Amino acid sequence: MSNHLTHALALLTVGAAATACTQKAPKPQRPNIIYIMSDDHAYQAISAYDSTLIKTPNIDRIGHEGAIFSHAFVTNSLCAPSRAVMLTGKHSFINGKVDNVQRFNWDQESFPKLLRQSGYQTALVGKIHLDGTPQGFDYSAVLPGQGHYYNPDFIINGKEERIPGYVTKITTRLALDWLKKRDTNKPFCLLFHEKAPHREWMPEEKYYKEYTKKEFPEPATYHDDYSGRGTAAHAAEMRVYRDQNWSGDDKLYPDVMDKLGLKDPTTWGRNAFKHNVGRMDSTQKAAWDSVYKPMNEAFEKAYPNMSEQQLAHWRYERYMQDYLACVASVDDAVGELLDYLDKSGLAENTIVVYTSDQGMYLGEHGWFDKRFMYEESFRTPLLMRYPKEIKPGTQIDQLVQNLDFAPTFLDYAGVKIPKDMQGMSFRKLVDGQSSEWRDAIYYTYYEYPSIHMVKRHYGVRTNRYKLMHFYYDIDEWELYDLEKDPHEMHNVYNDPAYADVQKMMHDRLTELRQKYGDSDKFNKQYLDAYLEAVNKHE
C-alpha cells in the first residue's frame, strides 16, 4: 500500500471517529404503561391476597411476575374522587373532586396530559365516571356515568354509540383494538378501566351459570352489632341483609317480590332491575331467565319458612355469587391483555398495573359498598409488573396511596414531576433501590348526607394505628390498634392505656393536614358547595 493511500485511510478513520463523538447517544427506550383499574374490586377477591373466595390466576400473574403491594390505600374511598386523585396526584380538596356530585375540572394538569406532551400516545378505555370530555388522550372510549353491563353505550372520541354484548368483553376488545392500531413509533400509555365488579353486579352468561351454584363462607364479622364503635358504624345504610335491594341487587323479579310482600328501601331497586334486564336482547334475556327464574321460584317456595339468620345468609350468597362472577370476567380480560403483550413482544418494556378505585366490603361488618376509612374499603389491591426493573415475587409493605400513581408514571417516563403533585414516586421501592418511605397516610370522605349515609370523616393511618374523626352532625373520634385488633372491632380512643398513642396520632394528623393543605375551613366551604350542587341535581 502506498504512503498516500495509508495517509488517506488514516484521515478517514479519524474523521469517522470525530463524527461519531459529536452524535448524540440514542435515548433509552421509554417504557409503555398499562394501568388496569376495575371498579370496587376488593383485595379479598384476588387470590394473590386471599384464595378463600375466588381464584384469579391472570391478575395474580402480575404480582407473581412483579410486585404485590400489601398496604396500598386510597385517599377518598369513592369512585369519582378516587379517579381524580389518580389522574392529578393531588388530594380531593386540592383537585376539587371531593364527591360524586360536583363536576371534575378536566382543564387542570394530569399525568396523561404530561405524558402526551412528552411524546407518549395515550388512550382511555372503559369507565372513568368523571363528567365532561376527557382531556390528555389521543383516543377515548368511555362509558357514560356508571355504564351498563349489557349492550352498553360508549362515547368514542366524543360520539356515543351502543355496542351489543357484555361490557367487560367489549371494554377489553376496544383496548386491544387500540393497542393493535396505535402508532408503534411512540411509547404508549393506556388507561384500561373495567366497569365490573360495580353494583348491580350483572355477570356474563358463562359465569352466572357457574357461580349461582357456588356457596361462600360468611366473614367472621358478618353479624357485627357495632357495639365496639361509635355512631357512624351504627348509622351507615349498607348492610347486605337490610339495605341491599331485593330486585336490583338480589335479582328477585318484581312479581315475586309482590307475591311475598317484599319492598326495596327505595324505588331505585326495581327501576335498576327493569332497566338493566330491559337492555338485554331476546337471546340474552332467555339465557338470564333460564338461571335466575328457577332461583326466584326456589326462593319463593322457601321464603315463608326461612329464619332471619337463613335469610341473611341467602342474601350474602346472592351478593357473592354475582359479585365474584363479575370478577371472573375481569380476570379473563387481564389474561387476554397479558397474552397479547407476550405475543407482540411488548411485555419486557411495558409496565402493567392492576388496581381498583377503592376497596369493597364483601360482608365484613355485615356491609357492602365502601366509603369508610375502615380497612376493607380503605385498602386496595395493587399488583405491578415491569420485567426490566421489578424482580418476580417482590413484596412491598410500605404505605402507598393512589396519590402516588401520577408521579410514579412520570418518573418512569422521564418526565419532570410537577412540584404541586402531592404523591411520591414508588419506583425505587419496587426496584429495590430504596426502602425509605412515608410512615403515615391521610384520608378524607365528604359525601354526606347521601346514599348509604356514611358520615363525613378524615383520619390518619400508620403501620399500626388508625385515628378517625367523624364530624358535621356528630363529633366523635375513633382509634384502632391494627396489630391487636385487625378487624377494627374495638375503639380504644378513650382507653387510658392508649393515652400516649392518642396524643401521638393527633400530632401526626395535624402534621399531615398541614402538609397537604387541608383544614376545617375547607370543610365548611365544601359543605356549602355540596348542598348547593345536590339541590341543583334534584
Side-chain angles (χ1 to χ4, degrees), residues 254-523:
D255 64 308
V256 173
M257 290 175 59
D258 291 339
K259 289 179 186 178
L260 299 176
L262 297 173
K263 293 183 179 180
D264 283 333
T266 67
T267 57
W268 172 14
R270 282 190 184 226
N271 292 338
F273 178 87
K274 292 177 180 178
H275 189 51
N276 292 336
V277 174
R279 294 183 70 88
M280 295 178 174
D281 61 31
S282 58
T283 301
Q284 293 165 341
K285 181 65 164 53
W288 182 270
D289 285 340
S290 72
V291 172
Y292 286 91
K293 193 170 184 180
M295 182 201 75
N296 271 256
E297 292 169 350
F299 178 78
E300 182 181 345
K301 184 177 180 180
Y303 176 74
N305 298 313
M306 293 175 77
S307 68
E308 206 171 290
Q309 189 167 359
Q310 288 172 325
L311 193 57
H313 181 72
W314 184 87
R315 301 198 76 176
Y316 170 75
E317 296 295 354
R318 280 278 56 249
Y319 175 30
M320 287 297 93
Q321 288 166 354
D322 289 346
Y323 177 94
L324 294 170
C326 290
V327 169
S329 294
V330 173
D331 191 65
D332 285 348
V334 172
E336 283 189 59
L337 179 73
L338 296 179
D339 288 347
Y340 169 76
L341 295 178
D342 288 343
K343 292 174 183 176
S344 60
L346 291 169
E348 183 70 17
N349 194 45
T350 300
I351 296 166
V352 179
V353 168
Y354 185 87
T355 189
S356 177
D357 54 353
Q358 64 262 319
M360 188 76 170
Y361 295 102
L362 303 185
E364 297 87 4
H365 308 293
W367 290 331
F368 67 105
D369 206 69
K370 54 265 183 176
R371 301 166 195 265
F372 273 118
M373 195 186 173
Y374 300 125
E375 287 294 281
E376 290 85 1
S377 60
F378 183 30
R379 182 181 168 193
T380 58
L382 177 56
L383 306 96
M384 180 176 180
R385 187 185 78 175
Y386 182 36
K388 283 189 174 180
E389 292 191 13
I390 304 174
K391 295 179 181 178
T394 296
Q395 179 82 22
I396 304 298
D397 297 322
Q398 285 88 343
L399 300 168
V400 169
Q401 285 189 287
N402 56 344
L403 195 69
D404 302 320
F405 288 129
T408 298
F409 295 146
L410 294 176
D411 187 1
Y412 277 112
V415 177
K416 185 178 180 180
I417 301 169
K419 291 182 179 179
D420 61 351
M421 278 192 177
Q422 297 178 305
M424 300 165 59
S425 170
F426 50 74
R427 181 179 183 179
K428 290 184 178 180
L429 278 183
V430 290
D431 70 7
Q433 288 189 44
S434 175
S435 60
E436 292 185 12
W437 196 250
R438 64 168 73 93
D439 61 358
I441 50 178
Y442 184 57
Y443 179 87
T444 57
Y445 177 77
Y446 302 94
E447 194 172 286
Y448 175 89
S450 185
I451 182 173
H452 299 305
M453 299 302 283
V454 172
K455 294 186 181 295
R456 297 176 193 176
H457 58 292
Y458 56 86
V460 58
R461 187 199 194 278
T462 65
N463 286 318
R464 178 169 177 175
Y465 300 107
K466 183 186 297 182
L467 176 68
M468 294 183 283
H469 181 214
F470 293 92
Y471 65 97
Y472 172 56
D473 60 339
I474 60 173
D475 182 10
E476 295 182 7
W477 292 86
E478 295 184 12
L479 175 67
Y480 295 96
D481 184 338
L482 299 172
E483 184 178 291
K484 294 183 177 180
D485 181 22
H487 298 300
E488 299 167 292
M489 300 292 283
H490 306 289
N491 175 19
V492 296
Y493 185 78
N494 292 315
D495 186 337
Y498 285 86
D500 290 342
V501 174
Q502 184 201 104
K503 181 181 183 307
M504 179 271 291
M505 291 298 285
H506 271 284
D507 289 344
R508 297 311 314 276
L509 181 62
T510 299
E511 290 170 12
L512 289 184
R513 296 192 87 196
Q514 291 175 347
K515 174 182 177 180
Y516 292 122
D518 195 13
S519 67
D520 292 336
K521 180 181 178 182
F522 171 81
N523 291 335

Side-chain angles (χ1 to χ4, degrees), residues 211-276:
Y211 276 74
T212 49
K213 299 174 184 177
K214 293 178 178 284
E215 291 190 9
F216 303 93
E218 292 178 1
T221 60
Y222 185 55
H223 296 283
D224 188 356
D225 64 1
Y226 318 116
S227 58
R229 272 138 300 159
T231 303
H234 288 81
E237 297 176 357
M238 45 195 244
R239 297 184 210 189
V240 173
Y241 47 86
R242 187 193 70 184
D243 299 314
Q244 281 192 352
N245 294 309
W246 290 103
S247 47
D249 297 327
D250 292 344
K251 312 304 188 299
L252 282 190
Y253 291 18
D255 64 308
V256 173
M257 290 175 59
D258 291 339
K259 289 179 186 178
L260 299 176
L262 297 173
K263 293 183 179 180
D264 283 333
T266 67
T267 57
W268 172 14
R270 282 190 184 226
N271 292 338
F273 178 87
K274 292 177 180 178
H275 189 51
N276 292 336

Side-chain angles (χ1 to χ4, degrees), residues 169-234:
K169 301 183 79 159
I170 295 168
T171 304
T172 307
R173 185 177 73 242
L174 290 172
L176 289 173
D177 285 349
W178 180 81
L179 284 173
K180 293 170 184 176
K181 296 174 183 177
R182 75 189 191 283
D183 182 350
T184 57
N185 293 314
K186 295 181 178 180
F188 66 83
C189 175
L190 167 65
L191 305 191
F192 174 28
H193 294 186
E194 294 287 9
K195 168 185 168 59
H198 193 277
R199 192 182 188 188
E200 283 88 13
W201 316 298
M202 302 277 287
E204 69 170 301
E205 181 180 344
K206 72 173 181 176
Y207 284 123
Y208 65 66
K209 287 184 173 179
E210 175 185 349
Y211 276 74
T212 49
K213 299 174 184 177
K214 293 178 178 284
E215 291 190 9
F216 303 93
E218 292 178 1
T221 60
Y222 185 55
H223 296 283
D224 188 356
D225 64 1
Y226 318 116
S227 58
R229 272 138 300 159
T231 303
H234 288 81

